[in-house]
Structure formats: C-alpha cells, structure tokens
Amino acid sequence: MDSKPIIHIVEDDMTTRRLLENLTSLLGYKVVSYDNGDDAWYAFAQKQPQVVISDWKMLGKDGLELCRRLRESNADTYTYFILVTVQRRSRWNMEQAIEAGVDDFLKKPIGSEEIWNRLRVAERILSFN
C-alpha cells in the first residue's frame, strides 16, 4: 500500500475518541471521527472507509450494526473493521462480532503499541485487495 489508509473512528465517549485520534495521528494516519453510529453510517454510505475503529456499544447504530451494514453493502473495496471492547470477550459475543464481519478487536484500556500492531495488520490485509 503506497500511503497509509484513512482511519475512521466511531466512539461516543469523548475521552476514548480523543485518545484514539491522538494515537492514530501520532502513528501518521489521517483520522475522521464520529461520536455516534448514525452519523458514521451516513458518512460511510457516501464513501466507504478503508479502516474503521468502532466502539461496540453506543447510541444509534452500534459497532456490530455498522460492520454488518458495511459487509452487506458489497462495496468495491474492503473495509478493515476493528471493534473496541470492554468486557465482551465471551465466546458468544466474539462469535456474534465475527458473524457481523469484524476483523479484529481492541480492548479498553487502549495502548499505542496495540493500536500500532492492529493497524499494521490492517495495512497488510488491505494491500492484498
């Protein structure tokens, strides 16, 4: 991939959203942020994002619904979807997320090394498309 993908962050908690914005920006990515799933989906419908980092639970469309809709849109390009979780690591919840089309997970609290690792994988996967 010639340039880094643009990261779309969907997080209703302002502190976590700012943390994600700052960490991804420091890693050299351009960032677009949304504080709710409905605004994010409207923007996604206009132009499909390359990478999404989305909270699981939020007002409007949650992370699973956003991912599911992206997968159902049958877009020409692939979106790498990272779901941010707190305590949702049960087998049932993980299966639900994978069935919705989630590619990877970030667990709160989020650290810069973990984000860097996840985004490097995203870049690798996207370069195959």
Side-chain angles (χ1 to χ4, degrees):
M1 178 162 251
D2 294 335
S3 62
K4 290 184 179 285
I6 298 171
I7 307 298
H8 289 245
I9 296 170
V10 189
E11 172 62 66
D12 58 349
D13 177 68
M14 184 173 47
T15 303
T16 304
R17 187 172 62 251
R18 293 273 163 78
L19 172 69
L20 286 166
E21 290 168 351
N22 291 336
L23 290 174
T24 53
S25 294
L26 286 171
L27 293 170
Y29 294 92
K30 292 181 182 175
V31 179
V32 179
S33 295
Y34 311 94
D35 63 3
N36 67 77
D38 292 328
D39 288 347
W41 175 245
Y42 177 76
F44 295 175
Q46 305 302 310
K47 183 176 184 211
Q48 187 171 2
Q50 296 167 291
V51 176
V52 172
I53 300 174
S54 176
D55 193 16
W56 185 312
K57 290 289 186 185
M58 58 192 156
L59 296 175
K61 291 168 189 57
D62 66 11
L64 291 188
E65 181 65 19
L66 284 175
C67 188
R68 198 174 290 114
R69 285 181 175 225
L70 276 171
R71 299 296 182 241
E72 290 170 355
S73 71
N74 294 319
D76 295 335
T77 59
Y78 190 78
T79 298
Y80 194 84
F81 202 100
I82 302 170
L83 191 67
V84 179
T85 66
V86 179
Q87 300 279 341
R88 303 194 177 279
R89 296 264 179 167
S90 73
R91 181 181 174 143
W92 185 81
N93 283 325
M94 298 302 277
E95 287 175 0
Q96 202 178 12
I98 290 168
E99 286 297 318
V102 170
D103 295 299
D104 207 343
F105 301 89
L106 275 171
K107 187 173 180 185
K108 292 180 185 178
I110 300 165
S112 60
E113 189 170 310
E114 188 176 8
I115 287 179
W116 183 84
N117 291 334
R118 298 304 193 270
L119 293 177
R120 291 294 295 146
V121 170
E123 285 184 45
R124 191 173 305 132
I125 297 297
L126 292 172
S127 72
F128 287 117
N129 289 326

